[in-house]
Amino acid sequence: MASAAFEEIVEDFEFLDAWEDRYGHVIDMGKAMTPLEDAFKVPATKVDGCTSQVWLLPAITDGVFHFRGDSDAMIVRGLVAVLVALYDGLSVADVLKVDAGGELARLGLDEALSAQRSNGLRAMVERIRKLAAETV
């Protein structure tokens, strides 16, 4: 149930053999993302459970989930970009149906990230699911 944007990332990763190349691609995705304005980097948008600072700003319009995010760490900013590709533009109901662990495993992220980064990624996914569940 991944979005077309996420499927593009999966295809890109298929051409990148070494994890270092994939890691670099994730960082590049983060660099390409529009930064979140400082006014939105507040406790209400901050994700608890991440070693780095992470902010997620949701917007639900007509039942469609959109969000933007940012982080003070480049790799985490890239992970936010991956999650934007996974979830942005889905219906709120579909957000809750996404098997984030399974989808992210297709990228090999489950094998390549440190325990701290994996915990932070899980915290971001839980926050996204919570935001979507609150509007259903």
Side-chain angles (χ1 to χ4, degrees), residues 8 15 33 44 71 73 97 116 128:
E8 281 185 39
F15 291 104
M33 201 169 55
S71 176
K97 293 177 186 174
Q116 286 181 324
I128 290 165

Side-chain angles (χ1 to χ4, degrees), residues 21-103:
D21 295 333
R22 292 177 176 197
Y23 200 79
H25 186 63
V26 170
I27 289 172
D28 289 343
M29 289 173 54
K31 287 178 181 177
M33 201 169 55
T34 303
L36 196 60
E37 297 84 357
D38 287 342
F40 295 118
K41 294 179 181 178
V42 296
T45 61
K46 191 168 183 201
V47 178
D48 295 324
C50 296
T51 303
S52 305
Q53 294 191 78
V54 179
W55 302 272
L56 299 179
L57 181 65
I60 298 169
T61 308
D62 297 326
V64 177
F65 188 83
H66 298 284
F67 82 95
R68 298 173 41 220
D70 210 340
S71 176
D72 62 349
M74 288 310 298
I75 185 63
V76 177
R77 194 165 199 273
L79 294 173
V80 170
V82 169
L83 292 178
V84 167
L86 182 60
Y87 289 109
D88 189 68
L90 296 179
S91 72
V92 174
D94 285 345
V95 167
L96 297 173
K97 293 177 186 174
V98 171
D99 173 13
E103 295 297 340

